[in-house]
Amino acid sequence: MADIITVIVNGEPRELRVPPEMPLVWALREELGLTGTKLSCGIGLCGACTVHVSGKAVRSCVTPIGEVSGPVTTIEGLSSPGGLHPVQKAWIENAVAQCGFCQSGFIMAAAALVDETPGAQHAELLQQMTNICRCSTFSRVRLAMLTAAGHGVKSHD
Amino acid sequence: MTEALQVDRRRFLGGAGAVVLTLVCGDRGIARTFGVPEPVATEQVFSAWLSIDARGMVTLVNAEAEMGQGTNTAMAMLVAEELEIPWGRITTVPMTARPIYTNPAFGMLKTGASLSLKGRYLQLRQLGAAARQMLVQAAAQEWKVPSQACRAVAGEVHGPDGRSMPYSSLVAGAASLPVPQDVPLKPRADWAILGKPQARIDMADKCTGKARYGFDKTVPGMVQAALVHAPQFGARVKAVDSKAALAVAGVTRVIALDYAVACIASTSWSALQGADALVIEWENPDPAAVIDDAKIDAMLRDGVAGKVQGRNGLIPAHKVGDPAAGFAQPGVLAVSAEYSTPYLDHACMEPTSAIAHVRPDGIDIWSSTQSPAMIYHAAKLLYGFEADKVRVHQQPIGSSFGRRAQIDGELEAMVLSRIIGGPVRAIRSRSEDIQHGFYRPASRSALRGAVKDGKIVAWSHRCASQSLLDNYARYFREYGIDLKELDKLTGPAGASGFNFAPFDLMSVDGTPSNAVYAIPNVEVASAKIDVPIPTGWFRGVGQTNNLFATECFVDELAYAAGQDPLAFRKTLLSGQPRFLAALDCAAREIGWDKKPAKGIGRGIAITNMSDAVTVAIVEVAASKSGFEIRRVVLAVDNGIVINPDVVEAQTQGGFLFGLGAALWGRISIAEGRVEQTGFADYRLLTLQHCPALTVIQMPSDDPPSTISEAAATVAAPALANAIFAANGRRLRDLPIARNDFECRATVA
């Protein structure tokens, strides 16, 4: 039988009775009801399932819940009491999303990049964004990354 | 709207709250209902469109699927403009499908074919105008003044002497008034909301994780069913060893259908793990009938060569003038070439899933579907339920491109729910999804053209592909459903997109049978191949195949005639001012008149899909082994524009969707099955290969028309033409990557 696994999700400790090999994406979606994190390719390639573990972008469809060693932040927990994360603001300002299904993952990947590499050049940031969007919103992702980098890092604190 | 307006009263059972004015706008016109649903729940408002609550917030039922193309916003804009409410005071909810929601342009309840705005443009403005007039009249009665002395301003009615009342206070009075007919609509010059960029009403939800899709839906008591389909097309289940699957924690049951096996569990992950552990013996089709790419290619070649007789042979589809005489003229220069395209998968981000609850008294379905009416009519044919006993709860779609016009997931969920006796969510892994799609068919085009005095004097286009429809009928037969019966129920004859002619018209879309060019002698013929691969509508449909051939071959003829491809096209388009304007505009933007440096080439492609004007010019830098896309310019005339911001986004996205497919998209067939297993071997576009892209909008007075479907179809021919201009390599077989020709990243 599954042991109890304790994970901090969006700042709150959560107890899960699931097998440790269950991918984090399913634990978030079906055990905790956090459906903002999506599943698409299932092999860690498209990035739709991206969440933060200890502030780093992680593809939750290939991350077993038992191997999660730090606090998890999902799209639902990205904003702070002070407001939306600068990347979210930039995304809304540039009207990036079309169907929106991949956008949680896109925003989480972009937020980790912007937060981790303050002052990074726009092109450097873009090179590291490997998420797939089938609506092909890339033209506006590019604009939003420019806006987000310009907003200043961690201005939401 | 020409139908008579009819008043219909209906009281909703809901929680206590404000009186809500609810208007119904169905096939019989606009009518009114009133009641107390607050907040509006689609399950309660079974046949309503519009309600205004106590805070003056307007809720519109969106009868078009929202799948990224922005219908939530566009439909709300249409109503808000006529209702005279500020943008931001209206929201939408997805519908529970009813026949009254039928799209008037489609003749059925389905989202697709770029018909959402075309069908709703008049209807929803009329709805908003009727509601506005009722509110104005209610205020006039309250104040005992003539309604002419009152007017609606920003969610309030203003009367004489500076009096005003908010809509929310007028709803009860308005609800008892007769519904006005033929209220004049605002002239375009007075539009405050329409035609101007408006923020998408669902943007914030999509950026904060609040947006819910079909894939996110849960229903109490629901179980998960992960499906494993026969890998070979046409194979059947012979035997199932479910021991290992049942040993997976959470797995409760294994159900074998004819062509698939379902693993039932309490969680999705358990169900998918169990499905992986199934040991299934398949009864495969006769090896002689097992197809692969080589066989398909040979069949397509035979088809265009006219080597096939009978129902799959070449059938004349279109003829202008005397093509034989055109080719036989003295002094003509004749050119011939063949083009090919592969099978493509939609590869939607949201995996195929659907929830069904089949009960003795009716069915509930929750799904991300483009075809709700087809679902409830299929349910009638399957189980005998009338349409009003089958409630299809539309869910927002996480991208579709035509894939969710198919109802395979919903049928599987219904069948399993009936067996299990409770709500079932049918899901599948990504590899199952990509191996069991409804693919854009592979095609081959054989073209001959003759030029004389710098003009095309004759054109012959023979194309071959699978019919989009033949395998459809086969698919429904699995369920004992006769496609012709389904078609009859779903809409006016053939409206559901099927036609039962000897060939389907979609297979010649994008050939000169419907191109804009003035060519005096044209013949188009179409041949079918009969292989058991499921095919279906794909963003741009037939044009994604034939326009590639047509627009590249126009270029070939231009070069054969010693002409500049832009000037050559303009000669052929002399009677088409919208096209000439768009071509000139795009050419100016890219600097066509300045000869590019060596190794740089520009390519044009145009389409008149759905009466819109779409022009693309691509600029590449190419060597012998690879190329880089430097720039893309699109000039588009989509008729009357509702939201320029969404037109821009859809044009960008549509083009890039087509570009990714042109570069790498290919579903390959070996041993009777799809070889690809997911996004690792079905390569899709990412940011690194996204070129700089300029969209120039040239709106006109024509009705609102297609945006992204047209933009998707011009990408491949414009790119191939640019590559030829840059390095002299004429690429006639898609995807580009098959030609040992690498597209280098453009972001740096």
Side-chain angles (χ1 to χ4, degrees):
Chain A
M1 281 307 290
D3 296 331
I4 290 176
I5 297 172
T6 304
V7 198
I8 294 170
V9 180
N10 297 333
E12 284 185 28
R14 307 296 295 262
E15 290 190 344
L16 298 167
R17 192 181 288 274
V18 296
E21 60 274 20
M22 176 184 270
L24 176 57
V25 65
W26 287 121
L28 293 170
R29 288 178 56 83
E30 293 193 353
E31 304 298 321
L32 301 177
L34 295 169
T35 54
T37 303
K38 305 303 183 194
L39 175 83
S40 185
C41 75
I43 52 172
L45 195 143
C46 75
C49 66
T50 305
V51 299
H52 297 174
V53 176
S54 305
K56 294 206 178 317
V58 159
R59 299 207 162 165
S60 64
C61 74
V62 288
T63 305
I65 182 87
E67 289 175 21
V68 173
S69 54
V72 176
T73 306
T74 70
I75 186 76
E76 291 91 344
L78 183 64
S79 59
S80 65
L84 297 177
H85 188 279
V87 166
Q88 287 173 303
K89 284 186 197 161
W91 242 251
I92 293 168
E93 196 178 306
N94 289 283
V96 175
Q98 290 187 23
C99 87
F101 197 82
C102 72
Q103 298 289 322
S104 298
F106 241 118
I107 289 168
M108 294 308 284
L113 269 177
V114 168
D115 287 347
E116 275 177 9
T117 49
Q121 292 299 302
H122 187 231
E124 289 170 41
L125 294 174
L126 297 185
Q127 284 298 355
Q128 293 178 68
M129 293 284 288
T130 56
N131 294 48
I132 288 170
C133 169
R134 290 293 286 146
C135 298
S136 306
T137 57
F138 303 110
S139 305
R140 292 186 175 192
V141 166
R142 206 179 264 170
L143 291 176
M145 291 298 281
L146 206 55
T147 310
H151 266 191
V153 176
K154 303 204 173 185
S155 62
H156 58 301
D157 287 344
Chain B
M1 192 166 306
T2 53
E3 300 93 340
L5 297 177
Q6 185 176 327
V7 177
D8 170 35
R9 284 165 195 272
R10 185 185 298 262
R11 182 165 290 279
F12 293 109
L13 301 172
V19 173
V20 176
L21 170 64
T22 304
L23 285 179
V24 174
C25 176
D27 50 357
R28 292 172 304 168
I30 302 173
R32 179 207 56 242
T33 68
F34 59 96
V36 287
E38 164 138 353
V40 174
T42 40
E43 281 83 355
Q44 289 173 331
V45 186
F46 205 41
S47 58
W49 284 86
L50 182 69
S51 59
I52 302 170
D53 71 12
R55 293 159 296 132
M57 194 67 193
V58 178
T59 301
L60 173 71
V61 174
N62 182 4
E64 298 290 313
E66 169 61 63
M67 46 193 168
Q69 84 286 42
T71 61
N72 280 343
T73 305
M75 301 304 131
M77 286 173 72
L78 293 171
V79 168
E81 180 70 61
E82 292 294 339
L83 189 53
E84 294 290 358
I85 52 166
W87 187 240
R89 293 268 282 279
I90 184 165
T91 188
T92 61
V93 290
M95 68 176 160
T96 290
R98 304 296 310 138
I100 59 149
Y101 292 132
T102 292
N103 180 318
F106 228 146
M108 62 178 162
L109 185 55
K110 178 174 180 172
T111 304
S114 296
L115 288 173
S116 293
L117 270 176
K118 205 169 250 180
R120 307 296 183 186
Y121 173 62
L122 202 56
Q123 183 188 43
L124 289 184
R125 284 188 302 148
Q126 285 170 330
L127 186 81
R132 179 194 69 221
Q133 184 144 319
M134 290 163 80
L135 292 158
V136 166
Q137 219 179 324
Q141 286 185 2
E142 176 81 23
W143 295 325
K144 302 195 169 46
V145 299
S147 59
Q148 290 83 347
C150 306
R151 61 196 183 100
V153 181
E156 297 179 336
V157 178
H158 291 193
D161 319 323
R163 277 179 286 193
S164 72
M165 276 179 89
Y167 284 179
S168 53
S169 312
L170 294 164
V171 162
S176 62
L177 295 172
V179 179
Q181 313 206 12
D182 300 327
V183 180
L185 299 177
K186 287 167 79 173
R188 201 171 158 196
D190 294 349
W191 282 356
I193 291 172
L194 297 178
K196 299 176 173 57
Q198 305 295 348
R200 285 194 191 223
I201 58 179
D202 45 17
M203 185 60 67
D205 281 355
K206 287 175 176 176
C207 297
T208 52
K210 291 194 185 91
R212 298 288 177 104
Y213 303 81
F215 193 65
D216 302 325
K217 181 73 188 171
T218 56
V219 169
M222 152 186 117
V223 295
Q224 309 286 346
L227 281 119
V228 178
H229 300 83
Q232 277 196 353
F233 297 119
R236 325 291 294 180
V237 176
K238 194 171 171 186
V240 183
D241 177 354
S242 50
K243 202 159 61 194
L246 290 168
V248 172
V251 173
T252 54
R253 190 169 171 184
V254 170
I255 298 172
L257 307 174
D258 285 348
Y259 62 94
V261 181
C263 180
I264 315 298
S266 50
T267 69
S268 297
W269 187 62
S270 296
L272 289 165
Q273 294 272 100
D276 264 356
L278 286 167
V279 181
I280 307 167
E281 196 183 335
W282 302 101
E283 194 175 308
N284 285 330
D286 173 6
V290 170
I291 45 150
D292 56 33
D293 278 339
K295 285 184 186 171
I296 291 165
D297 187 54
M299 292 166 84
L300 291 170
R301 285 172 188 275
D302 285 350
V304 295
K307 289 182 184 167
V308 182
Q309 305 301 315
R311 64 183 288 273
N312 290 339
L314 282 169
I315 294 175
H318 181 73
K319 193 176 174 188
V320 174
D322 186 344
F327 280 106
Q329 289 175 60
V332 301
L333 177 62
V335 177
S336 60
E338 294 199 8
Y339 289 80
S340 77
T341 61
Y343 287 94
L344 291 177
D345 185 50
H346 304 77
C348 304
M349 295 307 292
E350 181 187 13
T352 306
S353 75
I355 302 171
H357 190 186
V358 180
R359 302 175 311 273
D361 62 339
I363 304 179
D364 280 278
I365 310 255
W366 295 264
S367 81
S368 304
T369 181
Q370 289 181 244
S371 300
M374 198 185 285
I375 297 170
Y376 58 65
H377 290 308
K380 176 190 167 83
L381 295 176
L382 269 179
Y383 304 122
F385 286 118
E386 288 305 324
D388 63 346
K389 300 287 183 213
V390 185
R391 310 209 311 171
V392 181
H393 309 283
Q394 174 78 54
Q395 306 293 309
I397 311 180
S399 74
S400 183
F401 319 116
R403 175 64 180 87
R404 304 305 301 267
Q406 312 294 345
I407 62 166
D408 52 325
E410 291 81 0
L411 287 168
E412 283 167 354
M414 279 194 272
V415 167
L416 291 168
S417 173
R418 192 154 197 247
I419 293 169
I420 291 168
V424 173
R425 176 169 176 261
I427 56 169
R428 53 178 78 177
S429 66
R430 176 56 63 181
S431 86
E432 278 292 310
D433 210 21
I434 208 162
Q435 299 210 337
H436 300 282
F438 287 78
Y439 308 98
R440 192 286 304 271
S443 79
R444 191 162 191 88
S445 284
L447 296 113
R448 275 195 310 135
V451 287
K452 192 181 177 187
D453 304 329
K455 286 185 181 177
I456 302 176
V457 294
W459 180 297
S460 163
H461 194 146
R462 293 171 161 194
C463 47
S465 69
Q466 266 187 272
S467 160
L468 283 191
L469 313 170
D470 285 359
N471 284 320
Y472 223 84
R474 195 171 309 174
Y475 177 77
F476 281 104
R477 272 201 300 278
E478 292 278 2
Y479 292 88
I481 294 173
D482 180 341
L483 185 58
K484 284 189 180 173
E485 288 298 309
L486 184 61
D487 188 57
K488 257 186 255 164
L489 288 172
T490 306
S496 55
F498 309 119
N499 65 58
F500 300 96
F503 68 96
D504 63 74
L505 285 167
M506 290 174 278
S507 71
V508 294
D509 194 10
T511 69
S513 73
N514 59 346
V516 276
Y517 298 118
I519 304 172
N521 304 294
V522 177
E523 63 183 5
V524 177
S526 167
K528 276 200 302 202
I529 67 166
D530 193 11
V531 292
I533 300 174
T535 53
W537 301 285
F538 184 93
R539 198 181 212 178
V541 198
Q543 292 217 4
T544 63
N545 282 330
N546 298 318
L547 195 83
F548 169 61
T550 297
E551 278 300 294
C552 288
F553 196 60
V554 168
D555 251 46
E556 294 206 49
L557 294 177
Y559 287 106
Q563 291 220 6
D564 169 69
L566 174 66
F568 189 69
R569 280 184 173 80
K570 284 173 70 172
T571 308
L572 295 169
L573 292 163
S574 56
Q576 304 279 347
R578 292 170 76 200
F579 270 96
L580 291 173
L583 269 170
D584 281 339
C585 181
R588 240 189 339 267
E589 176 66 24
I590 208 138
W592 187 274
D593 56 352
K594 288 185 213 73
K595 193 174 153 50
K598 194 172 177 333
I600 310 281
R602 296 166 187 148
I604 302 174
I606 68 168
T607 177
N608 65 339
M609 180 185 278
S610 303
D611 301 321
V613 170
T614 306
V615 169
I617 303 184
V618 171
E619 182 176 287
V620 302
S623 64
K624 286 288 167 223
S625 61
F627 66 102
E628 185 186 316
I629 305 172
R630 290 163 52 105
R631 201 172 168 206
V632 177
V633 174
L634 286 143
V636 293
D637 171 354
N638 314 97
I640 295 167
V641 165
I642 301 302
N643 190 345
D645 187 61
V646 171
V647 170
E648 185 195 74
Q650 286 291 292
T651 308
Q652 292 168 333
F655 182 90
L656 294 174
F657 179 90
L659 180 66
L663 292 173
W664 304 296
R666 180 178 176 233
I667 287 290
S668 57
I669 311 291
E671 293 178 9
R673 59 178 290 180
V674 168
E675 289 190 295
Q676 283 65 31
T677 58
F679 292 175
D681 47 12
Y682 188 72
R683 188 170 174 186
L684 302 166
L685 192 74
T686 57
L687 202 50
Q688 287 70 30
H689 288 84
C690 167
L693 204 150
T694 307
V695 177
I696 303 165
Q697 296 185 45
M698 312 175 71
S700 64
D701 296 332
D702 280 35
S705 189
T706 182
I707 307 166
S708 67
E709 285 203 274
T713 64
V714 288
L719 175 62
N721 288 339
I723 289 168
F724 178 81
N727 73 357
R729 263 187 91 172
R730 176 55 70 183
L731 302 179
R732 299 190 183 93
D733 302 294
L734 292 178
I736 303 281
R738 281 198 91 188
N739 300 277
D740 289 326
F741 200 48
E742 190 203 346
C743 179
R744 288 188 288 264
T746 52
V747 171

